[in-house]
Amino acid sequence: MAQPQPQRMEDQLQSQAQGQGQGQTEAIKYGHVFAVTGELAGQPIAPRDAAAMRSAEESVPGVPVPQDIGGGYSAGVAMETAAAYNQAVAAVRPGQASDAATNQGIAVTQTSVPGGRIITEFVAGQVVGQYSVADQAVEQDATKITVGEALEATALAAGERPVDRTDVEAIRAAEMAAQGSDVTMPGGLADQAQAAARSNADADRDDDKITVGDVLTDATAKLAGDKVAGAEDAAKVVQAETYSDAAARTRAGGVGAAVSTAARLNQADDDADDDAE
């Protein structure tokens, strides 16, 4: 696991400062700060690289996390420090980008794990940072049904049915609704359903196919976040399911039906509370 190391960065800056006092202006390179190899290791950390990493980090909710509440020393912090030094000693130009980062890109991914997410940061396809982010607990009304619970209900109602493309799209819409996001988590329920559907398409026997129950059992534990199911959530899931279905209809016992039922029950509960007041 390659991680930016604060002490390693401090040692490198001190060494470079001593060299600068002796008339040397060697740039801080990726190999000085991160456990990377090949062409990337020998390239100076450039200002545009650092800015791109910061932008990628900020696109992921909750990243970067301050160290005083358990966050990691993100690659963006290390790269900004190194790039500022390199620019100060004229080893790189303002706005310059490294060839490796330009050609192969900079990315931040997140993987859901129980209680939080694993954040992994890449430059030119090599890992330069990895750390965990704890999910913030969101208080839910215990009397309401969440999207995750609706997915678990689907696992019971349609659990023996093999996963297909229509299920994938409905699960994807439900996962995004549960997380309040426009994207799904890498390796999350939608990705698992997609892999299952592809495997099923190549399976010769029904007994070898992956079922809806295999994917959606314990769905709440597999989601990066969850929320009370509402009418808007149901509409999005139903739209995704019907759009992908050859007959343009929701499936009995499917994801759309489960989320719609949850939303109706939640609304009925709200109406009952209003009448009681």
Side-chain angles (χ1 to χ4, degrees), residues 245-262:
D245 184 74
R249 62 189 178 189
T250 56
R251 291 179 166 176
V255 175
V259 177
S260 295
T261 299

Side-chain angles (χ1 to χ4, degrees), residues 2 10 17-18 29 49 54 64 94 100 102 117 128 150 155 167 189 191 237 244 274:
E10 291 172 4
Q18 291 172 350
K29 300 174 182 178
D49 297 5
R54 270 300 199 185
T102 299
R117 295 165 289 152
V128 295
D167 299 312
L189 286 175
D191 282 0
V237 175
S244 303
D274 291 340

